[in-house]
Amino acid sequence: EVQVVESGGGSVQVGGSLRLSCTASGYTFRSYALGWFRQAPGKEREGVAGIDARGGTEYGDSVKGRFAISRDNAKNTVYLQMNNLQPGDTAVYYCAATFDFPRPLRGTRRLVGDEYSYWGQGTQVTVSS
């Protein structure tokens, strides 16, 4: 069983930045595709960013140019750097992982929640004006 744990959420003012971290257990971390998702109250879950085992990335339209996903395989960690945060970014952010083989995630599939097998508990991000 792969355990996924997020950290780094909090409260920030409009225009501020936060970096979320997520660790996923297992010696095959470098074989995982990883994604960040968010869900605001009363809204559906939204794919924010995804990164495959090769390091290829995909972003949701609402965060392009502001958010960046990266991974450190040596630390079993994936990051989400969030800049120029806006009130619309307020949500619970979830990290998800799945094995990127034998069917690699490519393109917008990296932002589809159903493609991921393992999920964290979520971390709250609140942006206030």
Side-chain angles (χ1 to χ4, degrees):
E1 181 72 16
V2 176
Q3 294 187 335
V4 179
V5 180
E6 307 97 338
S7 62
S11 296
V12 65
Q13 292 190 328
V14 169
S17 298
L18 281 175
R19 188 177 79 159
L20 305 182
S21 300
C22 168
T23 59
S25 65
Y27 62 89
T28 56
F29 180 87
R30 63 179 62 252
S31 299
Y32 298 160
L34 301 143
W36 285 99
F37 297 81
R38 68 186 182 187
Q39 188 164 23
K43 294 189 177 181
E44 293 187 356
R45 184 177 63 195
E46 175 188 12
V48 175
I51 185 167
D52 59 43
R54 301 178 309 173
T57 59
E58 190 78 21
Y59 295 94
D61 288 341
S62 62
V63 305
K64 284 179 181 176
R66 299 188 299 124
F67 290 12
I69 188 171
S70 61
R71 64 189 297 160
D72 185 337
N73 291 336
K75 296 182 178 179
N76 279 26
T77 301
V78 60
Y79 303 98
L80 184 68
Q81 179 66 44
M82 305 185 294
N83 299 325
N84 190 22
L85 283 160
Q86 301 297 313
D89 296 317
T90 295
V92 177
Y93 283 70
Y94 298 91
C95 179
T98 195
F99 290 100
D100 205 20
F101 305 96
R103 185 168 175 253
L105 292 188
R106 298 293 181 263
T108 57
R109 286 177 55 227
R110 289 173 284 203
L111 300 180
V112 176
D114 288 346
E115 296 284 0
Y116 292 83
S117 301
Y118 308 102
W119 290 80
Q121 293 299 308
T123 185
Q124 177 71 46
V125 172
T126 302
V127 184
S128 58
S129 56

